[in-house]
Amino acid sequence: RQNGQEVITVTQEWEDKDTIVHTVQSVCEAKSFRPLQHQFWWKQRGGEVNVDLVANTLAQQGQAITEADTAKAKKRMWAAFKSAEGQFYFNWHLDMEVFPLLPYAEGRTFLVPFYDPGTSSPFQTVAYTVTGSGKLAGYNGQEVDCWLLTHQTPGNKEVFWVSKKNQEVLQLVQELPNDVKRYKVKMSFSL
């Protein structure tokens, strides 16, 4: 609970080889998954960004970012922040947490309102289409029947493998320019 409201907190650590390169803590309203707060750090960029969507504030390295800022990067962050004001959206940084909420069917296209808080990417409605089905190899030779949820823009193609059984996002395969591929894979564990 936060301020008397039920919330969901998602914490992420991204690694490259054996180094943490990105950390995130996102707080969302439990009922609607509406973003309330978002805090992140990137190793390459340095400094922490804090976004409080309830108080309507944006800060980098503890310094408030406002309309008065003149640095280009801060102006872009501020413009993106203001583009989301008054809109209902999901936190784009939590796409893999949002996708299990969708009602899948072959050929269905979802127009998802997204904003990635604290970045220079403005609010936008993004199309994701169920482009087919596939079998994903799981543990012990087990095959998992999945929906293939695809998003594509010039130079970028993302295919999310979503379990038909429980709607979990099990894998993302992203194709980028210069034959670069990026993967996100759901790791399982047992207690």
Side-chain angles (χ1 to χ4, degrees), residues 12-16 19-23 42 93 182 184:
Q12 301 177 37
E13 280 188 2
W14 295 12
E15 298 176 8
D16 183 12
T19 303
I20 294 174
V21 296
H22 182 49
T23 60
W42 281 100
H93 215 79
R182 182 173 79 125
K184 289 183 183 179

Side-chain angles (χ1 to χ4, degrees), residues 26-170:
S26 304
V27 180
C28 300
E29 182 180 71
K31 184 178 179 181
S32 67
F33 213 55
R34 179 178 63 93
L36 301 173
Q37 295 174 323
H38 187 73
Q39 175 182 341
F40 66 88
W41 167 86
W42 281 100
K43 181 180 179 187
Q44 293 173 312
R45 299 177 198 159
E48 188 172 84
V49 175
N50 289 287
V51 185
D52 187 327
L53 299 154
V54 177
N56 203 30
T57 59
L58 173 63
Q60 184 175 35
Q61 293 179 258
Q63 298 295 314
I65 296 175
T66 68
E67 183 75 34
D69 281 298
T70 58
K72 286 182 183 179
K74 288 183 179 182
K75 286 178 73 94
R76 286 192 304 271
M77 287 171 64
W78 181 255
F81 179 69
K82 295 308 276 183
S83 76
E85 193 172 53
Q87 307 280 351
F88 177 84
Y89 57 86
F90 296 106
N91 182 339
W92 206 345
H93 215 79
L94 301 179
D95 55 356
M96 294 177 72
E97 289 79 12
V98 169
F99 294 151
L101 306 174
L102 303 176
Y104 289 90
E106 185 75 34
R108 182 172 282 172
T109 297
F110 303 102
L111 299 176
V112 184
F114 272 133
Y115 166 58
D116 196 353
T119 71
S120 58
S121 297
F123 165 86
Q124 54 192 296
T125 300
V126 185
Y128 291 86
T129 300
V130 180
T131 55
S133 297
K135 301 280 187 187
L136 187 63
Y139 297 103
N140 300 325
Q142 172 191 15
E143 286 189 335
V144 180
D145 196 17
C146 294
W147 295 111
L148 303 180
L149 183 65
T150 303
H151 167 66
Q152 192 164 358
T153 57
N156 176 54
K157 180 180 180 183
E158 300 172 319
V159 179
F160 295 86
W161 293 69
V162 183
S163 167
K164 287 184 177 182
K165 181 178 178 181
N166 60 17
Q167 305 230 150
E168 283 183 283
V169 178
L170 301 176

